[in-house]
Structures are given as C-alpha cells and as structure tokens.
Amino acid sequence: MVDPITATILLNLISSGISAGLNKAAHKIFRPQEIEDYLKSTSFQYNLEQELSFLEGSEIDITALEAFFNSDKIICIFSQIYEASEKTLSEIESEFVKDFCEIKPITNQSNEEFGKKLFFCIKQAFNAFLQRKILEGEIVALEYKSEERHKELRDGQNRMENLLEDVVSEVKSPHGFISSKVPLDYIDEEFKEVIELIGKNEIEEAKTKLFAVIGVMENKPQENKKLLSRAYHLLAITYNKNKGVGGNFDTAEHYAKRSLEFDPLNDKIKGTLASIYINKHGKENFEKSFSISAPLWEQSEQNNPQFLEVYLWGLFFTKSVVDAIVFFESSKNAQDLTEQNDLLSNLIARFYIVNNNPRKSLQYINNSIKLDPQNPDHYAIKASAYREISLAEDYLFSDFEICPKLKKYDCIEKALEYYRKALSLCHKNTDPTLIERIKKEIYTCSILLNRSNEKEFQIIRFSINSSQLPENEQHTLEFLDFVNELNACHFSSASQKLFSLRMWEEFTYETKIKFALVFLHRGSPEEAKKIFKSLESEAESKKDIRFLINMSIIEVLLNNKTGMLQYLEKAKDASKGSSEWEERVLSHSYTMIQRYRDSGKENDRMLASIQEYDDKFPDRKILKVISVNENDEKPPQEIIDEFKRAFERDQNIKRICTEHQVPIYVIANVTYLNYAEMVNKLTDTQFHIRYHPPDQASQQEMMDNYDAGEVFVFDYSSLLNLSKMDLLGELERIQAKLFISKSLFEKIQLDLIFYEDPNLRKLWDYLRNSNSISIVDIEADPSDYQEISKHLDKWIIDSIKLLSIYETSILLSDDFNLIRLFKEYKIRGTTTFFFLSYLLENKFVDSKTYGVAIGVLAERMYIFLPFDGEDLYHIAMDDECKIKLRSYHLINHITVPGISPLIYTRQFEYFIDKLWRSGSLFEDKVNWLALITERMIFAINQRHDIGQTFEVDMLLYDIKKIWKNISSLCTLSDLTILEERCITLFETEPSNDLKESILSVINQSRDVLSYENNQLSEH
C-alpha cells in the first residue's frame, strides 16, 4: 500500500492539471482502454451521480449521457489529462465543453455552463478512481519535489502574491490532518499554488484547484471553518473579474458571502465583498459597497490599502470624484498608503483625470510606475493623462469637425508612446479587456494624429476583439471606425457606418444635422443629402429655414440648378415676415443665382432677385438710381464716371502688384473675386503674371527642386491649371507624396458654391475623390506669420506650415511671386512646367497635349513661358487656326521687357513654315504672318529706342527670312494678297526700308513663278 499522504498529494496534483515540476506526474497512469472501461463502469456512474448532485442540486439523467461518454472523442479528450499532452487543463476543458454543446446529449442542459460543471464532476470521479488505485498500490507514487513546483513570478506580480498570501495567512493551519488522508500542510501548499495561479491570471486552473480543496474539506465543514472560509474567499477573488477572463461578479458575491458564513468577522473578506459590489456597478451595489467599506476604513487603524481602495471607490460612486479627492487630500494616512502602493496611486491618478486635472494625475501615476514598472495598466493611465491634457489644452473648436482638432500634437504623441509601452507589457495572462482597451486607445490616438491609415495602426485596429470591451466602448469603437472612414474621404463607407451605429436612432435632430454638415464640409454633398432628406419632414414641422438654405447649397454642389431653385423658393416662402430670416434668405437667393453670371443664362433671374431685395429693404440702398435721357445718345456722365473709377482702381491694383511683385492671390482678395473667377477675367495683354524665371540659374534651380522632391504641396494656381489642361489624372505619375492643406480644399469648395466654372468643378470633384493627393488637416498659428497673414488666405499660411514639416518638401505653384515669398521661409518651389516636361520626356503625353497645356498657361497671362514653334502650332490648331488671346500672348513675349526676342524668332519661323504647309485657310495663314510681323516690328522699335542695335539687326534679318520662306511656298494669287497685306502693315512706319525689302522678296518670288509658268506653257 502507498503512504496515504503521498497518495493524496499525487491525486491532487494530477486532478489540478499542474505540469510544473512533475511534468504531468500521471503520465501513462491510465491507458485509453482503462479510461474507456471506467467510463462504462457502474462505479463511474455512481461517483459521477454523487458529484453532480452535490454541485447541481437537482437530479440528472445519467443514462442519457452513456452514449456520449462511450464516444471515441470523449475518451480521447480525457486521455489527454493522464497522457503526455501539450494542452493545458483549461484547453482540454474548452474542447470538452465545445463537443458537449455541439452533441447536446441532454437537450435542456447542453449549455456551456453545465458543460463546465460536468467536466469538473467527471474529473473528480476519475480522481476518486485514481486515488483508490494509488491507495491499493496499483500505481507507484512519484516523489514530490516542492522546490520544482513553484516558479518565480515576475517582479510586477509580487504585489498580487503578497496580497493573496495575506488572505491565506489569516489562520495558519496547525500541524495534523483534515482527515486520515489529507495533511494540513498540503492545504497550505495548495493555497500557495492558487495564489501563484491567480498571480499569473490562470484563473480556471486556480478555480479547479480550489474546488478540489473545498471538496475535501466539505466532508467535515464544522471542523474546517477557517480553512473553508479561506478557500471560498480565494474562490470569490478568482470570480471577481471580467467575464472575458472567466469572471462572474454574481458568483463572486455568492462565494464571498459563503466565506463570511464560516468566518463572519473577517474584515478582509468584507473588503473583497465591497470590491465585488463596486465591480457589479449600479446605484444599489455602490451603496452596498460603501456601507461595508466605510466602517472598514473609518473604524480601523487606517493602514490597510485594500480597505482604502474600496473606500475611495465608494466615495467616488456614491458621492462624487470631488468628495473622493477632498478626502484623500485631507487624510495623511491615505496619502502615506498611496505613496507606498502602486494600485492606490493608479486610482488617485484616475480620479484627477476624471476631475479634469490630468497634469496632477501624472504625479501619482509616475509613482505607480516607479513601484511597479511592469504593470501595463499604469502606462495606459499615464497615456490617458497626456491624452486628456492634449484635449484640454490644445483643442480647437469647430462646428464642422467630429474628431477634435488640436493646436499641437506633442501631448497626444506622448499618449501614443505610453499606450504602445502598455501594449508591449501585456502578455497572454493579462486581462484581455485591458489589452483590447489599450488597442482601442492606440487606434483613437492614430485618428487624432491623422495617421490611422498607416500599416501599424491598421493592424492594431483589425486585431481588436470588440467582444472583450464593455458595450459603451464597443459603441465608441464603432464610432471611431466611422470617423476613420470619414477622414480617409471614403464617404459612402463612412455614411454606411454612421447609419449602422446602434445609437444612430437615438441621436437628436440637431446632432444628425451636424453630421450632415460635416459630410458637406468635407466635400460629400451626396451623403449630406441622404441625411438631410431623412430629416425633411421633421425640418418642415420645425420650420427650419437653415435646413432649406443648406439644401440649396447641397444642390449647387451636385450641379442641380433646378433643385437649388426649388429650395430657394421654399426658403423665401418660409421666411416671409420673419425679421430674423427674410433678409438673409433674399441675400442668399441672389448670391446663389449670381453664381451663374458668366453663363449669361440667368440675367433675368439675377435682376429679378436683386430688385426683390431692394423692394423689400430699400433702406439698404443696394441699387442706385441714375436718370437717363432716352434721346441722348451719350450715356450719363455719372455712369461714365463710375466706369472710369472702376478702371482706374483696376489699373492701380495691377500696377502695385507688378511693381511689388506680390502673389496673384492678393489681387483676388482686393477685388473681392474668388481666384477661379479672377483668372478667367485676365484679358489685359499689358498685365503679366510671373511664372517662369528668365535667368538660366533660377530655371536650373527649379528643375533641381522638382527632381529632388519627395513631398509636393500644391497651391490653388497649379491645381486649377492642371484641371484646365485635363491633366489632374496624370498626377499619379509623380513618385512622391502629394498634399494640399485642408483649408485649400475648403477654399476651392467655397469658391465653387459662389461661382460656377467647369474647371473649378472638375478640380473640386477630383480632390474629394482622389487617391493621389492627400488632404492634410493642419492649422498654422497666424501669429507665427504676422507679416503676411493679414494679406493672404489662410490656406497659404497653412501650406507654409505643412511644407515646413518635411525636409524634402517642394511647393508646386504656378505663381513665381508666391515661390519667391515661400523662399523667405526656406521653402523650395517649382512649377507645373517641370511636371509637363516630365510627362513629355517619359512619353506619358504626346507633343500635342503638351503644346495645348502650354496654351493653358498662356491664357493665364504668364510671362517667361518656355515654348517652341511646335507648341505654338498645336495651340493654333486647337483653336481652329484662329488667333486667340493665348496665342497672341505667346507671340507678344518678344515685347516683354527683360526678354531677348531672339529666343522666340526662330520658333516663329518654324511655326509659320509648318502652318504654311498645312491645309489651313490662306486667309488664316496671312493673319498669323501679319501678327508675328507686327509684334516683331514693335520689338524692333523697342530695341532701337534703347540702343540695342545688334538685336534690331537680327530681328530685321529674321522678318525678311520668314517672308522669304513663305513667299517661295505661295502661288501668284497668294503673292498678290501678301503684297497688299505688306503695304497695309507698313502704312504707319516712318521708315520704308523693311517694307521695300519684303516687297522685293515678294517680287522675286513672283518672277520665279512667272518664269516657271512660262516654261511649262512652252512645253
């Protein structure tokens, strides 16, 4: 026979599934055949019945389980307990419960809860069988080596061990035996094992061991009261956890009360019960907790950290966080305990965060980290403190934002750093709720930093197991997913996520309107309209005029003029007689109709709208009455004076901008025109905008800038020009990051609302749907740019800040003066010309597309444009060989001061030669020849006046050569037309030498043609 003490130790080691030290002491004890035989035996049925009746308290139909027990699968599962297997006991239990729920041997009770009970009872029945075999000597007991059973816990778990050992050491077991077979020393060892398992968060193993201990001691409950109290207390602790780690607060309460039945005066058990009530939540439970914790703390020596913790939570939940903090700050004992206890420091840090004092919380959470630097929750709380500091001190309010905008990001960056640290300290035994919560907070930080599209954060988001989070945090996670899609401009997906939120229907009318306006503000009138339309009946009942105004704007962006007019009429009807709204609605109505002013199709509506406003509010005097004499052919002097003043003001603005070389955007601001409208009105051939540097060194610098760019930030001019060129889609060819500031996108959308232009609409539509250009939400502080912020748009200031972030960033602008200005801030720039050259060199576009694109730049009245005869030819052909403003502007380059005309005359020669050989009308050819000749004569006179005789001589030579070349390509009748046009061209010239030279060339060509015709006639 085996010694009963050794037998009992071995039995309990095997039953608890402990592998440390023994390496499965019961390895090969039972063969599968023995397990199968025992499962079919009456002895097993009897033992199981006893166990189930004790645990379940009601009759169980054992016969219904026979087929289940006899299956190969179940035999295999239980063989793993007693044979070599890498699986832990909890993994084996999970496998059993899964099969039990799937097979459903007992129809009404085949659930997870009963499956776990059944597994425990079967294992207990096997243990009884094993104990009998050991006691009868059929199995040799293995030597128990206590030193191998205990492993070192990490430093951060010492606190848990000490706390739980406190519980165990309340009543030290005397030497002796609980029964004839179980020594008291063994029970102490088992309690220590439980503490170790709880410390490692191996909760299920701890429960199993405690159930085994309780099963032994319940045979004589009156003799083992203290030990049973201790065991039930530990069992309550194991259940006082979230469900995700096997906890159940109701069960924890039951076992804590059971523990008190055996030891009703034990204050530590009362403290645990108070903690359980806190975790159960609800007003009634908080009050129960405080009714326990208050006397525990107030009537004690006030040196127990557990009592202080539940007392503080009680104050927090039954009174307020202020009461908890006031008590803490007035209690020396509480402060002393907190200084020495990382959990209490953590708790106080939480209170200060809740009380909107996150900087104060850092003092206490830093103490927690000092005491236990391996606890992930401490770093998570520190991260939360920095997050709250950021939201409190750096928050920028906006009606159009869902996610907070921040002035600076240093604190939120620190928050992210500490959340990452917290996550790195988590391991397989960390509370899964804490792990998932930390991941959620990292995801939140990534959204606040606008970095959620980075791979690291995408992986973290996809790894979050939301089922481990409380319901309110699951809602938060769903909302964050919506914000993430919105920030990524995935508007359709964002809208779907918004509508699928479990709290969507609970949102108020005003909140839903705000969501719609956010979509509208971000460039998605489609999704905004969906929300607005769902609220239309409610808006009508509320007589919400602002709703109708917003709907008219939505229809404008959707390019639905009819819909816009309908909502304008509804708004006017609804606002009649309203002192708050009528004037605003009439003003808005005029503004919306005026946006079509360039189309010429809405003049009647515009006049009617402004007349309606003037009739209703004559004191505003928006119309000025000027008397006109119908019999007088000359307009009234008052009208003439108005036009003169407007013209003089326009010329003065252009003069100032030219002299001071300011960015073109300044003109838009001082003329109260949006940029797209202003550039469309640039038709003054004497007003030029600097685009390309005239000197070779600057051109090389800008080319180098383009080649070196790893980040390009675009301005308004470059984007609008690319839109007019139909080349926005080619931006994906650039092997670099492409950005615009969010404020620029907002400016473009606002301009489209007030001004209908096809190129502006095309640009807006591209930006809101583009995967190539990222819209960066960045806010510059105007005080950092005081010298320019008063005169330039917000998006320009934001772009400077955006460009300053990246060392290899380049401004891509078609305003040379803006590039010069940015250079003052150490920002390099380049123009679309180098992008066009890149496309042409790599054959992404052909020469025709490139030439027409140069023509678009010419329409903007840019000077120093690099072009050649081929470009000019493609522009002319694109304009059906008619002279338009852009081709005139290019040819007129030879008259611009600071440019050598000789760089263009060779190109004119090429252009005229190619044009003359084309199938264009001869009349059109002559018009082009006349224009080039006239501009070259103008340049000759300019150079003559400033004494540049060499250039004068070269220009004269080039004119003669051009005429000579085309004369040889003409017929006799063509030459006659050329002769007449030549005489006309030189009518006003004081010197007739050039005219005579050209006429001589024509006559020579005529003589040659006449001779050739005569020769042909003779033959």
Side-chain angles (χ1 to χ4, degrees):
M1 297 289 287
V2 178
D3 175 58
I5 296 176
T6 307
T8 307
I9 291 174
L10 179 58
L11 163 66
N12 282 279
L13 287 173
I14 294 170
S15 69
S16 64
I18 297 296
S19 58
L22 292 176
N23 293 320
K24 294 236 175 185
H27 173 47
K28 300 292 183 183
I29 288 177
F30 288 142
R31 295 185 301 276
Q33 186 59 51
E34 289 180 298
I35 292 174
E36 182 178 354
D37 292 343
Y38 182 59
L39 285 170
K40 294 178 179 179
S41 68
T42 55
S43 174
F44 169 72
Q45 289 190 13
Y46 173 78
N47 287 335
L48 181 63
E49 228 169 312
Q50 295 297 312
E51 295 291 342
L52 279 172
S53 62
F54 170 74
L55 192 62
E56 190 65 13
S58 59
E59 282 195 22
I60 303 296
D61 185 4
I62 298 296
T63 56
L65 293 168
E66 284 184 15
F68 176 64
F69 293 142
N70 293 335
S71 68
D72 292 340
K73 208 166 190 180
I74 299 306
I75 293 170
C76 179
I77 288 172
F78 280 94
S79 296
Q80 293 177 88
I81 299 177
Y82 303 103
E83 297 220 345
S85 171
E86 295 301 319
K87 292 183 180 179
T88 64
L89 185 63
S90 61
E91 290 173 333
I92 297 170
E93 179 190 39
S94 298
E95 186 179 350
F96 171 83
V97 172
K98 179 175 177 290
D99 288 338
F100 178 72
C101 293
E102 287 177 357
I103 297 172
K104 298 186 182 299
I106 306 177
T107 307
N108 296 330
Q109 290 178 288
S110 296
N111 53 49
E112 184 177 345
E113 183 181 359
F114 184 75
K116 289 183 177 181
K117 290 180 180 178
L118 182 60
F119 179 82
F120 173 76
C121 292
I122 294 171
K123 194 158 61 63
Q124 291 297 93
F126 265 100
N127 291 341
F129 180 49
L130 175 61
Q131 184 180 18
R132 181 174 58 79
K133 293 177 82 65
I134 292 173
L135 294 175
E136 291 173 359
E138 295 180 29
I139 298 177
V140 179
L142 299 179
E143 182 182 356
Y144 168 60
K145 299 179 180 179
S146 60
E147 66 273 16
E148 294 180 6
R149 293 190 62 208
H150 298 286
K151 293 181 179 180
E152 283 295 320
L153 295 178
R154 63 182 176 79
D155 292 340
Q157 290 174 325
N158 287 338
R159 172 193 45 75
M160 174 65 80
E161 184 175 329
N162 293 335
L163 176 65
L164 291 171
E165 282 183 345
D166 249 3
V167 177
V168 176
S169 62
E170 289 167 4
V171 179
K172 183 65 180 175
S173 303
H175 293 289
F177 293 85
I178 287 179
S179 67
S180 61
K181 300 175 183 176
V182 182
L184 291 173
D185 287 345
Y186 159 70
I187 297 298
D188 279 340
E189 288 296 327
E190 291 300 280
F191 283 152
K192 289 179 180 178
E193 283 284 348
V194 169
I195 291 167
E196 183 176 325
L197 290 169
I198 294 173
K200 292 189 293 185
N201 223 24
E202 295 176 5
I203 302 302
E204 295 306 315
E205 287 84 346
K207 290 178 189 174
T208 300
K209 184 174 283 291
L210 285 169
F211 280 130
V213 170
I214 289 170
V216 172
M217 292 189 297
E218 283 280 11
N219 293 325
K220 295 183 179 181
Q222 295 305 313
E223 296 177 15
N224 302 312
K225 282 185 178 182
K226 295 292 184 182
L227 295 175
L228 278 170
S229 174
R230 192 186 316 166
Y232 278 117
H233 187 191
L234 285 170
L235 201 54
I237 290 171
T238 64
Y239 276 100
N240 189 21
K241 296 179 180 295
N242 293 316
K243 286 184 179 180
V245 286
N248 185 310
F249 297 128
D250 289 334
T251 306
E253 179 187 0
H254 167 75
Y255 286 126
K257 288 179 177 178
R258 185 88 170 114
S259 178
L260 283 171
E261 289 175 9
F262 290 106
D263 191 1
L265 299 178
N266 191 311
D267 285 344
K268 292 182 178 178
I269 302 172
K270 292 176 185 177
T272 299
L273 183 59
S275 170
I276 292 167
Y277 283 131
I278 291 291
N279 289 333
K280 288 185 72 172
H281 277 255
K283 182 179 179 182
E284 184 180 347
N285 286 318
F286 293 147
E287 289 174 351
K288 285 180 181 178
S289 175
F290 195 57
S291 68
I292 297 170
S293 63
L296 281 178
W297 173 257
E298 293 168 358
Q299 297 172 18
S300 70
E301 295 180 0
Q302 299 187 353
N303 59 6
N304 187 311
Q306 181 199 13
F307 296 168
L308 176 58
E309 182 179 0
V310 290
Y311 182 69
L312 285 167
W313 277 121
L315 286 171
F316 176 83
F317 283 116
T318 61
K319 296 183 180 180
S320 70
V321 67
V322 174
D323 289 285
I325 289 174
V326 167
F327 157 74
F328 171 74
E329 291 179 346
S330 62
S331 171
K332 180 70 166 56
N333 290 336
Q335 293 172 29
D336 290 344
L337 277 177
T338 299
E339 187 177 350
Q340 300 167 20
N341 187 285
D342 65 298
L343 286 184
L344 287 172
S345 291
N346 181 300
L347 178 58
I348 297 302
R350 290 171 187 262
F351 286 170
Y352 279 114
I353 291 174
V354 173
N355 199 41
N356 300 317
N357 193 351
R359 288 201 177 274
K360 182 75 171 177
S361 75
L362 288 174
Q363 170 188 340
Y364 294 94
I365 201 60
N366 284 335
N367 185 55
S368 295
I369 292 172
K370 178 183 176 182
L371 294 171
D372 185 0
Q374 299 301 313
N375 190 328
D377 187 50
H378 296 338
Y379 290 95
I381 296 301
K382 186 170 184 176
S384 299
Y386 276 112
R387 182 196 61 205
E388 294 306 311
I389 290 170
S390 181
L391 294 175
E393 298 178 5
D394 302 328
Y395 178 73
L396 293 170
F397 176 78
S398 172
D399 280 330
F400 301 107
E401 296 297 335
I402 296 295
C403 190
K405 293 181 66 175
L406 305 173
K407 288 185 291 187
K408 57 183 188 297
Y409 294 88
D410 52 339
C411 284
I412 206 69
E413 290 279 8
K414 283 185 179 179
L416 178 59
E417 174 191 345
Y418 287 114
Y419 280 129
R420 281 169 165 158
K421 175 70 173 177
L423 188 60
S424 72
L425 291 172
C426 294
H427 47 79
K428 66 178 183 179
N429 292 322
T430 303
D431 182 352
T433 299
L434 175 62
I435 295 174
E436 303 312 312
R437 183 172 283 144
I438 292 170
K439 290 179 186 176
K440 178 181 72 71
E441 296 302 341
I442 290 175
Y443 181 48
T444 302
C445 288
S446 74
I447 290 175
L448 288 169
L449 291 166
N450 201 25
R451 293 172 56 191
S452 56
N453 62 336
E454 294 178 13
K455 188 174 181 181
E456 174 196 354
F457 303 115
Q458 289 178 341
I459 291 172
I460 285 176
R461 171 58 191 98
F462 291 138
S463 73
I464 296 175
N465 181 1
S466 60
S467 64
Q468 295 286 356
L469 295 170
E471 187 176 1
N472 66 315
E473 293 190 42
Q474 291 179 29
H475 293 169
T476 302
L477 187 60
E478 291 172 359
F479 189 79
L480 289 171
D481 287 339
F482 152 68
V483 174
N484 189 36
E485 289 296 287
L486 184 68
N487 288 347
C489 297
H490 301 155
F491 298 122
S492 178
S493 174
S495 177
Q496 290 174 9
K497 288 186 181 297
L498 180 62
F499 290 137
S500 65
L501 290 177
R502 282 173 273 184
M503 48 192 166
W504 171 251
E505 294 303 327
E506 299 173 14
F507 288 146
T508 63
Y509 170 84
E510 289 74 18
T511 301
K512 290 179 179 179
I513 288 289
K514 179 172 181 178
F515 280 119
L517 291 175
V518 168
F519 275 110
L520 179 59
H521 189 65
R522 295 289 185 92
S524 181
E526 297 88 350
E527 305 308 323
K529 186 174 181 178
K530 288 178 186 177
I531 300 175
F532 270 105
K533 291 297 285 185
S534 71
L535 301 171
E536 195 155 22
S537 59
E538 190 173 354
E540 288 179 4
S541 65
K542 291 176 177 288
K543 296 182 179 180
D544 187 349
I545 297 172
R546 186 177 280 108
F547 175 94
L548 299 172
I549 291 174
N550 285 325
M551 278 301 298
S552 70
I553 293 172
I554 288 172
E555 298 294 4
V556 160
L557 289 174
L558 293 174
N559 207 16
N560 181 5
K561 187 194 295 185
T562 303
M564 177 205 75
L565 293 171
Q566 288 174 350
Y567 281 105
L568 289 180
E569 288 302 316
K570 287 182 180 181
K572 285 195 285 187
D573 289 342
S575 66
K576 283 180 180 176
S578 169
S579 58
E580 179 185 2
W581 282 104
E582 189 168 16
E583 183 176 1
R584 293 163 68 180
V585 167
L586 289 175
S587 176
H588 172 73
S589 177
Y590 171 70
T591 302
M592 290 297 97
I593 294 170
Q594 191 191 31
R595 66 185 304 278
Y596 300 101
R597 52 193 172 274
D598 284 359
S599 69
K601 298 178 181 179
E602 297 297 334
N603 292 338
D604 290 344
R605 276 202 179 96
M606 284 173 56
L607 291 172
S609 179
I610 199 167
Q611 187 66 57
E612 183 180 15
Y613 183 96
D614 189 62
D615 291 344
K616 192 69 182 177
F617 302 99
D619 55 319
R620 300 291 188 268
K621 296 180 180 179
I622 62 167
L623 289 179
K624 184 177 182 180
V625 179
I626 298 176
S627 300
V628 177
N629 186 347
E630 295 180 2
N631 299 322
D632 192 350
E633 294 181 0
K634 184 181 178 182
Q637 187 60 40
E638 196 171 357
I639 293 178
I640 295 173
D641 292 342
E642 285 290 343
F643 276 103
K644 276 185 177 180
R645 279 193 291 270
F647 177 77
E648 288 170 0
R649 181 174 179 273
D650 178 68
Q651 292 302 307
N652 189 48
I653 290 171
K654 290 176 179 177
R655 179 185 58 78
I656 292 172
C657 288
T658 301
E659 289 176 0
H660 295 279
Q661 297 185 4
V662 298
I664 190 66
Y665 305 108
V666 173
I667 298 180
N669 289 341
V670 298
T671 56
Y672 303 103
L673 296 173
N674 66 55
Y675 177 75
E677 182 177 10
M678 186 209 68
V679 294
N680 284 345
K681 295 183 182 301
L682 288 176
T683 57
D684 184 352
T685 58
Q686 300 305 309
F687 177 69
H688 306 136
I689 300 171
R690 296 189 70 188
Y691 171 81
H692 198 65
D695 61 289
Q696 191 64 37
S698 297
Q699 292 173 18
Q700 186 62 47
E701 179 186 340
M702 293 177 73
M703 181 187 295
D704 293 342
N705 290 345
Y706 180 84
D707 292 338
E710 295 180 4
V711 174
F712 287 97
V713 176
F714 291 80
D715 80 334
Y716 202 155
S717 64
S718 59
L719 289 170
L720 194 60
N721 289 340
L722 289 170
S723 177
K724 191 173 178 64
M725 296 171 190
D726 278 328
L727 291 177
L728 286 169
E730 297 298 323
L731 288 174
E732 64 184 27
R733 308 279 190 189
I734 300 179
Q735 301 300 308
K737 294 180 179 179
L738 311 181
F739 296 142
I740 66 167
S741 67
K742 185 180 177 184
S743 50
L744 175 54
F745 175 77
E746 291 168 353
K747 170 66 173 170
I748 290 168
Q749 177 165 288
L750 188 63
D751 283 358
L752 181 60
I753 290 172
F754 290 115
Y755 179 67
E756 184 61 44
D757 176 74
N759 297 312
L760 182 60
R761 177 170 290 281
K762 192 163 41 176
L763 171 59
W764 170 76
D765 204 43
Y766 171 79
L767 290 174
R768 71 196 187 103
N769 296 304
S770 175
N771 292 321
S772 300
I773 292 187
S774 299
I775 301 172
V776 181
D777 190 355
I778 190 167
E779 290 271 354
D781 186 349
S783 63
D784 293 338
Y785 308 94
Q786 289 183 358
E787 294 180 356
I788 60 173
S789 59
K790 293 179 181 179
H791 308 290
L792 296 172
D793 288 334
K794 179 180 183 300
W795 70 262
I796 297 177
I797 310 304
D798 290 343
S799 297
I800 295 176
K801 182 174 181 180
L802 178 57
L803 282 154
S804 301
I805 295 173
Y806 305 94
E807 289 185 7
T808 55
S809 62
I810 303 294
L811 169 68
L812 208 157
S813 169
D814 283 350
D815 186 341
F816 182 68
N817 288 333
L818 186 70
I819 293 174
R820 289 175 62 251
L821 174 64
F822 275 43
K823 200 170 182 179
E824 296 294 320
Y825 295 93
K826 302 187 183 331
I827 293 169
R828 296 172 293 166
T830 191
T831 66
T832 51
F833 171 75
F834 298 100
F835 173 56
L836 294 174
S837 300
Y838 165 77
L839 294 177
L840 183 64
E841 288 167 10
N842 290 278
K843 298 182 180 179
F844 295 133
V845 298
D846 57 19
S847 61
K848 179 181 178 181
T849 303
Y850 175 85
V852 172
I854 294 295
V856 169
L857 299 175
E859 284 185 68
R860 304 305 197 202
M861 308 309 291
Y862 293 136
I863 55 171
F864 311 140
L865 280 175
F867 70 94
D868 59 22
E870 186 74 11
D871 300 330
L872 188 55
Y873 177 78
H874 285 306
I875 294 168
M877 293 301 103
D878 192 59
D879 291 336
E880 299 178 341
C881 210
K882 304 299 180 186
I883 298 172
K884 299 289 181 68
L885 178 63
R886 58 184 181 174
S887 47
Y888 176 88
H889 177 64
L890 287 176
I891 294 169
N892 198 44
H893 263 58
I894 63 171
T895 69
V896 176
I899 294 182
S900 172
L902 301 180
I903 64 175
Y904 293 113
T905 53
R906 294 291 184 271
Q907 306 307 324
F908 296 161
E909 181 182 339
Y910 173 91
F911 165 69
I912 287 294
D913 183 72
K914 187 165 185 175
L915 179 66
W916 227 263
R917 296 174 189 276
S918 72
S920 302
L921 293 174
F922 187 74
E923 180 185 357
D924 291 334
K925 296 176 183 178
V926 173
N927 288 337
W928 283 101
L929 176 63
L931 173 62
I932 289 174
T933 303
E934 187 273 327
R935 290 290 84 195
M936 289 180 73
I937 292 171
F938 187 90
I940 288 170
N941 293 332
Q942 278 183 319
R943 269 53 186 180
H944 185 272
D945 290 343
I946 59 178
Q948 294 180 348
T949 56
F950 173 76
E951 290 196 350
V952 169
D953 292 340
M954 292 303 299
L955 285 168
L956 288 169
Y957 173 81
D958 288 337
I959 290 180
K960 294 174 187 178
K961 188 175 180 183
I962 290 171
W963 279 80
K964 182 178 181 180
N965 290 343
I966 58 101
S967 294
S968 64
L969 301 174
C970 292
T971 64
L972 288 171
S973 59
D974 292 341
L975 290 171
T976 302
I977 296 173
L978 281 182
E979 186 177 44
E980 293 173 354
R981 194 60 175 268
C982 176
I983 294 169
T984 305
L985 276 169
F986 291 96
E987 278 181 347
T988 59
E989 288 301 309
S991 172
N992 288 323
D993 291 344
L994 180 58
K995 179 177 73 172
E996 295 304 325
S997 297
I998 293 174
L999 289 176
S1000 174
V1001 168
I1002 294 172
N1003 287 330
Q1004 288 175 15
S1005 296
R1006 183 183 288 118
D1007 291 342
V1008 171
L1009 280 174
S1010 298
Y1011 173 77
E1012 290 175 351
N1013 289 340
N1014 290 334
Q1015 290 291 96
L1016 288 172
S1017 298
E1018 291 177 4
H1019 288 290

